Amino acid sequence: MAEKKELLYEGKAKRVFATGDPDLVIQDFKDDATAFNGLKKGQIADKGVVNNTISSALFTLLESKGIRTHFISRLSEREMLIKKLTILPVELVVRNVAAGSLCKRYGIKEGLVLDQPIIECYFKNDALGDPLMNDDHVVMFNLATREQLAEIKSQAVKINIILKSYFLERGLKLIDFKLEFGVHKGEVLLGDEISPDTCRFWDSVTNEKMDKDRFRLDLGSVEETYQEVLSRITGKA
Ligand code: UDP
């Protein structure tokens, strides 16, 4: 069992702790929820347990399909042992169906199915509200090298194919999701989490929203929906 040492970093939904090994850290999932760049704040009971369990299952799935991630093991209900990354400050959003900021920014109707996935880059910078960027911005502002950007985009496309079919088998359409990558010993690995906080899922029959949009948009049944997504994932190995 990895020894939990000092707090290294506290984010909106997770804390990161040192361990006895400088290459490894513990990611501890909180119940705190934020939306609209921190303007809306709240708690979702047991979200930390749900997101840790779902992320652990998805990282295990992706590793089994050849995607390199920071994941080592799930340590407890809320804790995950991971490789320490230097996070690239670029968030990749992969979209299969129009929703959220895509609809707002471009005046597109929610639910439009995209023929090919759209990949977007955002500058990971809360003070600036995570602005959308093109590839040249990412490279010229040194957020990632041209080669790293090509690599993480190609990983994102592969991850989308794996996750789309995994979720569909569990009655969920994968609408869009956000990925973060980081460097560990010179290698680019998938980091952060993959959960209903960072993905949009719609029920494959009813199109009901099954993700953080229930919190963002005050749709009700927030906790119940997180538990439902968890049971669809853990109930079908
Ligand atoms: N997302 C995220 N963190 C962010 C911004 C977006 O995890 O800081 C996820 C979000 O949950 C959704 C996808 O990325 O699954 C696309 O989000 P969008 O750009 O539509 O922004 P939002 O509507 O969340 O403001």
Side-chain angles (χ1 to χ4, degrees):
M1 179 86 178
E3 197 188 345
K4 198 172 185 180
K5 296 199 161 175
E6 77 274 12
L7 177 70
L8 296 176
Y9 167 81
E10 176 149 13
K12 286 174 278 192
K14 297 185 289 292
R15 292 188 191 96
V16 176
F17 293 88
T19 68
D21 183 335
D23 291 329
L24 304 181
V25 291
I26 292 171
Q27 177 158 262
D28 190 326
F29 289 70
K30 305 193 283 186
D31 289 349
D32 297 347
T34 61
F36 311 118
N37 199 30
L39 281 178
K40 182 178 168 82
K41 287 195 178 77
Q43 292 248 318
I44 301 173
D46 284 337
K47 174 170 81 72
V49 177
V50 172
N51 285 359
N52 185 37
T53 309
I54 292 177
S55 290
S56 296
L58 296 178
F59 284 132
T60 303
L61 167 78
L62 292 172
E63 286 276 356
S64 79
K65 307 271 184 191
I67 304 289
R68 307 274 288 138
T69 81
H70 67 164
F71 181 74
I72 295 180
S73 64
R74 181 173 174 273
L75 293 175
S76 71
E77 278 197 320
R78 290 172 183 276
E79 294 168 318
M80 179 191 282
L81 184 64
I82 57 174
K83 293 176 183 164
K84 188 172 186 176
L85 299 182
T86 304
I87 289 284
L88 301 172
V90 49
E91 300 185 352
L92 289 191
V93 167
V94 181
R95 301 182 182 274
N96 297 307
V97 175
S101 71
L102 185 82
C103 297
K104 221 174 290 167
R105 184 175 296 116
Y106 301 109
I108 290 166
K109 198 165 179 290
E110 183 182 73
L112 177 81
V113 177
L114 305 167
D115 285 344
Q116 297 284 324
I118 291 177
I119 301 187
E120 295 173 339
C121 303
Y122 291 87
F123 183 18
K124 185 175 159 66
N125 184 317
D126 281 339
L128 297 175
D130 295 350
L132 181 66
M133 283 187 153
N134 72 20
D135 290 11
D136 288 340
H137 292 123
V138 171
V139 174
M140 292 308 144
F141 300 158
N142 296 314
L143 308 189
T145 65
R146 188 79 64 189
E147 293 69 32
Q148 284 171 332
L149 183 57
E151 169 66 17
I152 64 177
K153 281 185 161 188
S154 126
Q155 292 293 306
V157 171
K158 289 183 191 154
I159 292 165
N160 185 43
I161 292 168
I162 298 165
L163 294 184
K164 246 174 87 169
S165 70
Y166 177 88
F167 283 113
L168 208 52
E169 285 168 16
R170 287 153 181 84
L172 295 168
K173 289 184 202 168
L174 180 60
I175 304 302
D176 58 32
F177 58 100
K178 186 256 308 181
L179 298 174
E180 294 184 25
F181 293 84
V183 181
H184 178 83
K185 298 183 174 176
E187 195 184 5
V188 176
L189 305 178
L190 176 65
D192 195 48
E193 68 179 291
I194 310 175
S195 73
D197 272 12
T198 64
C199 303
R200 282 194 173 93
F201 305 117
W202 293 356
D203 183 273
S204 59
V205 176
T206 65
N207 277 340
E208 197 181 351
K209 292 180 169 44
M210 304 282 291
D211 54 65
K212 201 166 100 172
D213 272 350
R214 300 207 73 84
F215 168 79
R216 290 189 189 98
L217 308 172
D218 294 319
L219 299 176
S221 304
V222 182
E223 277 89 4
E224 293 82 350
T225 302
Y226 273 70
Q227 293 294 338
E228 173 62 22
V229 173
L230 175 64
S231 78
R232 288 196 194 184
I233 290 171
T234 53
K236 189 172 188 296

